[in-house]
Amino acid sequence: MNRRLLYAVPLLVLLALALVFVMRILDPEAGDRTLRPMLGKPVPALELPVLGDPGRQVSPQDFAGSWLLVNLWGSWCAPCRQEHGELMRISREEDVPLLGINTWDTYEAAQDFLAELGDPFDVVGFDVDGEARLEFAVTGVPETLLVDPNGLVVVHHIGPLSAALFEQAFREHVPQ
């Protein structure tokens, strides 16, 4: 009896993988929703202390009624350093507020990072206890979300931004 079960397990695994494959063919956006669960959902209603002014709080809802880019980053993150020039360009040239959320970091390291490379953000929330990571369902940093004036996430990009990627994924939504 155990021998039959031993032969059945690989067959069951193969059938499960085949089912996943067929589901991906029938619904190609399923994987995107899995990796980017915030797409089409309301931006999380959380309040974070402001980097540089911990007595003040910031929330994505502070930007209600306008487009908003939310960028989750860390000073220790090499891809965050890589995308920083693009964030600086966006802050200078695009008509969209930029909310930074610093996470997995220390207060001092985050301030030093912005002092060294420049501060593209309208305001930076400091994710003290990891609440933002959970609420935004991030898998790592950097991650950037575009929130529409109704508070819905319309773009959720995982990884560093570049000028080409901004044009491809964000341009059609960002007001000019």
Side-chain angles (χ1 to χ4, degrees):
M1 184 73 166
N2 286 341
R3 195 167 212 165
R4 283 187 193 168
L5 185 59
L6 186 61
Y7 290 122
V9 169
L11 181 60
L12 291 173
V13 169
L14 183 62
L15 288 173
L17 289 173
L19 179 63
V20 169
F21 181 70
V22 168
M23 288 174 60
R24 285 294 303 238
I25 289 172
L26 297 176
D27 185 6
E29 294 179 2
D32 197 48
R33 284 191 306 273
T34 302
L35 291 175
R36 296 168 178 85
M38 292 303 302
L39 279 177
K41 297 201 174 135
V43 67
L46 74 155
E47 290 196 355
L48 298 167
V50 172
L51 187 68
D53 187 1
R56 194 173 128 220
Q57 299 281 307
V58 65
S59 170
Q61 280 67 33
D62 295 344
F63 300 88
S66 67
W67 289 92
L68 172 67
L69 270 176
V70 179
N71 179 261
L72 291 100
W73 62 279
S75 66
W76 48 268
C77 163
C80 297
R81 189 171 284 271
Q82 174 188 344
E83 80 172 358
H84 201 78
E86 178 60 12
L87 293 173
M88 293 296 289
R89 185 204 64 78
I90 290 168
S91 75
R92 283 189 314 272
E93 299 176 11
E94 303 296 339
D95 187 25
V96 60
L98 195 54
L99 169 62
I101 298 179
N102 177 264
T103 188
W104 282 304
D105 219 335
T106 68
Y107 195 82
E108 295 76 23
Q111 287 186 309
D112 290 348
F113 180 91
L114 294 176
E116 176 189 345
L117 297 176
D119 187 351
F121 303 107
D122 290 271
V123 64
V124 176
F126 187 67
D127 187 21
V128 177
D129 59 6
E131 179 183 5
R133 292 190 303 262
L134 297 174
E135 292 290 324
F136 280 91
V138 298
T139 56
V141 291
E143 291 194 21
T144 305
L145 299 92
L146 180 63
V147 181
D148 75 9
N150 297 314
L152 297 177
V153 175
V154 295
V155 178
H156 182 170
H157 174 69
I158 298 171
L161 287 177
S162 66
L165 183 95
F166 185 84
E167 289 301 318
Q168 176 189 4
F170 293 83
R171 172 58 62 211
E172 69 180 277
H173 304 289
V174 173
Q176 292 193 38

